[in-house]
Structure formats: C-alpha cells, structure tokens
Amino acid sequence: MKVTSPATYRRSISAKEIPFALPSILENGKHPVFILKPPDIPEFLKLFKALNIELNIPTEEDLAKNTIDEIKDRMQKQLEEINILENLDVIVDTMVINCVVRPKVVRSNPKKDELAVSEIVFEDKMAIFEKIWSLSPLSKEEESKRKSFQQ
C-alpha cells in the first residue's frame, strides 16, 4: 500500500468544497451556485457557542476510556436536547455563515463582495442548511458511511 503524499492529501481535502445550485432563479433564468464545505468540529463549536451550550470537551482520560463514536454520540445527544424550532434561525444562520465558502456570507454589514445572511431568501437558506447537514459527520448518512468503512 502506497502512502499518500502531503500534496495529494491537501488537494483531496480542498476538493471537499462542493458546488451547490440553489432553488431560487436569477434574472438570467439560472440558479445561483454557492460553494459549500462540510461542517467539521470548528463549525460545530461555533454553533454550540451561538446556542450558548457549554460543550463537554473530551479530556485525555475521556478519550482513553471512550471511542470517538461514543464522544460524537454524546455531542449528538447535546444537539438533540436543543429546542430546534425555538433556535432554528440561530442554527441555520450559524451553519450557513460558517459552511458557505463562496460567496462569503457574514452575519451583518457585508462588504461589496459578501452577502449578509439576512439577504439570502428563506428557501435558499434552508436548501443550503439541508445540504450542509447531509454532509455533516453527525448526519445519519455520514454515520452509516463511516461504520461501513470501519467494518
């Protein structure tokens, strides 16, 4: 088995940027396309912070006693305890801001080449969020891929 070179690994990781056509239609009759990235630990930490959730960060002892899947399950349970409807706007906006690569999406005061999250229409924002969540390591689809790979 050949070891992957750092250059190949970097190219592969950056290739995780995914073009995504939005449901809305522009004046030219085409769908807008945004570039998304799958959420990873930093994005989830930002989400937890936005929701004022104190995350139980795993200690070295915790990591020694529990598998990564057990720790992810604990994170998943913390997310499940959130009142989704009550916090939907915070959850969606935070994930959109942190997982849309291009165009850059910001919370407020966008520069000329940026979009404020409030400028994205609801239908597009929800489509982006659904796609991001489907790419999440916490999604059921990604979990089943991981488990089949591990077997």
Side-chain angles (χ1 to χ4, degrees), residues 40-74:
D40 206 346
I41 291 173
E43 289 75 30
F44 283 107
L45 292 175
K46 290 173 187 172
L47 175 61
F48 278 47
K49 184 176 180 180
L51 292 167
N52 297 314
I53 295 173
E54 191 171 318
L55 182 61
N56 299 324
I57 308 263
T59 62
E60 284 185 37
E61 182 181 332
D62 196 20
L63 290 170
K65 291 180 181 175
N66 299 287
T67 67
I68 295 296
D69 280 341
E70 289 169 334
I71 294 167
K72 285 182 181 177
D73 286 345
R74 206 167 53 221

Side-chain angles (χ1 to χ4, degrees), residues 2-118:
K2 186 178 175 189
V3 174
T4 303
S5 74
T8 301
Y9 181 77
R10 285 185 197 107
R11 273 193 314 276
S12 297
I13 294 304
S14 66
K16 291 201 176 204
E17 292 183 353
I18 300 151
F20 182 68
L22 304 178
S24 64
I25 299 176
L26 301 173
E27 59 191 26
N28 65 5
K30 295 183 179 180
H31 293 277
V33 175
F34 284 13
I35 304 297
L36 311 178
K37 68 176 182 174
D40 206 346
I41 291 173
E43 289 75 30
F44 283 107
L45 292 175
K46 290 173 187 172
L47 175 61
F48 278 47
K49 184 176 180 180
L51 292 167
N52 297 314
I53 295 173
E54 191 171 318
L55 182 61
N56 299 324
I57 308 263
T59 62
E60 284 185 37
E61 182 181 332
D62 196 20
L63 290 170
K65 291 180 181 175
N66 299 287
T67 67
I68 295 296
D69 280 341
E70 289 169 334
I71 294 167
K72 285 182 181 177
D73 286 345
R74 206 167 53 221
M75 287 176 70
Q76 179 71 35
K77 284 179 183 147
Q78 281 184 281
L79 280 172
E80 288 170 359
E81 290 173 7
I82 299 167
N83 183 332
I84 299 289
L85 289 178
E86 189 176 293
N87 294 289
L88 188 61
D89 58 334
V90 174
I91 295 168
V92 172
D93 286 359
T94 302
M95 295 307 279
V96 168
I97 289 166
N98 290 295
C99 295
V100 172
V101 177
R102 287 186 305 280
K104 175 92 173 128
V105 178
V106 295
R107 193 157 304 281
S108 59
N109 303 320
K111 296 177 183 158
K112 185 178 178 180
D113 60 342
E114 298 174 335
L115 277 173
V117 72
S118 61

Side-chain angles (χ1 to χ4, degrees), residues 98-150:
N98 290 295
C99 295
V100 172
V101 177
R102 287 186 305 280
K104 175 92 173 128
V105 178
V106 295
R107 193 157 304 281
S108 59
N109 303 320
K111 296 177 183 158
K112 185 178 178 180
D113 60 342
E114 298 174 335
L115 277 173
V117 72
S118 61
E119 294 179 286
I120 302 172
V121 297
F122 180 77
E123 180 182 29
D124 287 347
K125 200 184 297 188
M126 291 308 295
I128 293 167
F129 176 75
E130 287 174 12
K131 181 64 176 176
I132 289 168
W133 195 256
S134 76
L135 301 168
S136 160
L138 297 178
S139 76
K140 299 293 181 202
E141 182 180 318
E142 288 300 311
E143 181 182 349
S144 66
K145 282 184 197 174
R146 226 179 17 259
K147 286 185 178 174
S148 69
F149 177 74
Q150 292 169 348

